[in-house]
């Protein structure tokens, strides 16, 4: 969340401006915005453009009673509200991405007025322009890799060993099995990641998913995003398909193309 606190008002009283994304002005002329303005955003109001120098921000008027700092903090704890806003945010960004290279802004980026949006475009002009150049013609692809659950060890037969050697032996075997499973997970993740990284310009490694929360069988060993030139998209998808086709191999899930959310700021592969 980022809220501009300037008190100038060029919006309707009681309203703020929700900012979705930034693009180059030339890439999103007024005539091209029709498909974006018709998309239902976070509150269903009409999305419009704020233009400053050679940049443009896509914004939507939203009620301060819902999006000002105090109510927004409360709403961010409401999963149903958060899902509704996230879906609206995604719809607008997707529509804009179909027309031009855009930099998606963080969910619930809100400004007091148009003047605050213009200040953001002016203050960040150099970085925004550089990032747009870096991401132009590229898409984000998300890849998750799952390995089958580790089989439970068979119970050891009862023993009257009173020395504790049997217990220690079992514990040692269990520890070795865990270490072997971890090596297998690391090797699988590294193999897939290195294969796909060779076809991408950048990558981001996100925290793996807890299978207890995802509801999916197996263990998530890779949760990554890859920045891929559009002319290499077919090659990238084919590589994912090859990795996933082995019946005894890991389960590889691909989604995209997406706006480059993970690459708006620089990071390490």
């Amino acid at each position: 969340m980022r809220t501009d606190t300037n008190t100038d008002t060029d919006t309707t009283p009681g309203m703020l401006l929700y900012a979705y994304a930034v693009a180059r002005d030339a890439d999103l002329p007024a005539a091209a915005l029709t498909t974006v303005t018709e998309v239902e955003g976070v509150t269903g109001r009409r999305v419009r453009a704020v233009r400053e120098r050679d940049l443009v921000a896509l914004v939507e008027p939203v009620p301060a009673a819902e999006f000002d700092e105090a109510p927004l903090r409360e709403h961010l704890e409401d999963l149903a509200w958060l899902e509704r806003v996230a879906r609206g945010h995604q719809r607008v960004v997707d529509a804009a991405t179909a027309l031009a290279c855009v930099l998606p802004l963080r969910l619930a980026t809100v400004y007091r007025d148009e003047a605050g949006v213009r200040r953001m475009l002016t203050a960040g002009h150099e970085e925004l322009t550089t990032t747009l150049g870096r991401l132009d013609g590229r898409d984000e692809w998300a890849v998750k890799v799952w390995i089958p659950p580790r089989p439970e060890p068979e119970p050891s037969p009862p023993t009257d060993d009173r020395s504790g050697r049997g217990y220690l032996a079992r514990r040692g075997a269990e520890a070795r099995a865990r270490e072997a499973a971890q090596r297998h997970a690391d090797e699988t993740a590294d193999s897939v990641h290195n294969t796909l990284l060779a076809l991408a310009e950048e990558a981001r490694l996100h925290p793996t998913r807890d299978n207890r929360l995802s509801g999916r069988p197996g263990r998530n060993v890779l949760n990554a995003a890859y920045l891929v030139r559009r002319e290499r998209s077919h090659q990238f998808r084919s590589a994912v398909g090859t990795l996933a086709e082995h019946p005894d191999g890991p389960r590889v899930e691909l989604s995209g193309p997406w706006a480059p959310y993970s690459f708006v700021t620089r990071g390490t592969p």
Side-chain angles (χ1 to χ4, degrees):
M1 178 188 72
R2 181 172 63 220
T3 303
D4 184 88
T5 57
N6 188 285
T7 57
D8 295 341
T9 57
D10 50 15
T11 57
T12 304
M15 302 295 285
L16 305 173
L17 287 178
Y18 184 108
Y20 289 97
V22 173
R24 287 176 290 220
D25 181 69
D27 292 343
L28 281 179
L33 281 177
T34 304
T35 57
V36 179
T37 58
E38 291 177 349
V39 172
E40 182 177 349
V42 296
T43 65
R45 292 173 175 82
R46 192 175 183 85
V47 174
R48 62 185 176 87
V50 174
R51 301 181 187 276
E52 184 69 22
R53 296 176 65 180
D54 56 351
L55 296 176
V56 56
L58 299 178
V59 303
E60 176 187 348
V62 294
E66 190 174 1
F67 285 89
D68 212 343
E69 291 189 60
L72 182 57
R73 279 196 298 269
E74 295 182 11
H75 283 309
L76 291 175
E77 303 297 324
D78 181 343
L79 293 182
W81 183 93
L82 194 58
E83 181 180 4
R84 175 176 63 81
V85 170
R87 289 183 182 277
H89 186 100
Q90 186 70 53
R91 283 193 295 268
V92 173
V93 171
D94 284 347
T97 300
L99 300 173
C101 176
V102 303
L103 304 184
L105 299 177
R106 293 172 60 185
L107 191 72
T109 296
V110 182
Y111 293 90
R112 291 287 175 194
D113 49 35
E114 194 170 295
V117 178
R118 294 182 186 280
R119 281 192 295 274
M120 177 271 291
L121 294 175
T122 299
H125 182 270
E126 182 177 355
E127 180 181 359
L128 292 168
T129 302
T130 299
T131 304
L132 282 164
R134 179 170 61 87
L135 300 181
D136 195 12
R138 298 153 178 86
D139 293 314
E140 176 172 332
W141 294 86
V143 176
K144 293 182 178 63
V145 176
W146 304 77
I147 58 175
R150 184 163 55 97
E152 293 294 328
E154 295 189 9
S156 302
T159 176
D160 59 357
D161 179 11
R162 299 181 182 179
S163 68
R165 286 194 297 270
Y167 169 77
L168 293 175
R170 288 194 301 275
R171 291 296 299 271
E174 291 169 0
R176 289 190 294 274
R178 286 193 298 270
E179 291 170 0
Q182 185 60 53
R183 283 196 301 273
H184 173 64
D186 292 343
E187 290 168 359
T188 299
D190 288 346
S191 176
V192 172
H193 178 62
N194 290 333
T195 297
L196 298 180
L197 186 59
L199 300 172
E201 295 199 339
E202 297 181 43
R204 299 288 184 272
L205 297 178
H206 301 307
T208 54
R209 305 289 298 275
D210 187 332
N211 68 309
R212 294 171 297 180
L213 300 177
S214 69
R216 296 176 179 271
R219 177 183 173 193
N220 180 216
V221 297
L222 181 67
N223 180 17
Y226 298 89
L227 185 68
V228 182
R229 284 184 174 272
R230 292 199 182 108
E231 58 265 30
R232 302 195 77 179
S233 293
H234 177 73
Q235 188 179 2
F236 186 85
R237 294 197 306 269
S238 296
V240 173
T242 300
L243 292 167
E245 67 185 6
H246 196 289
D248 298 323
R251 187 171 77 255
V252 184
E253 299 176 354
L254 174 69
S255 64
W258 306 109
Y261 282 95
S262 301
F263 303 93
V264 171
T265 57
R266 285 190 177 274
T268 55

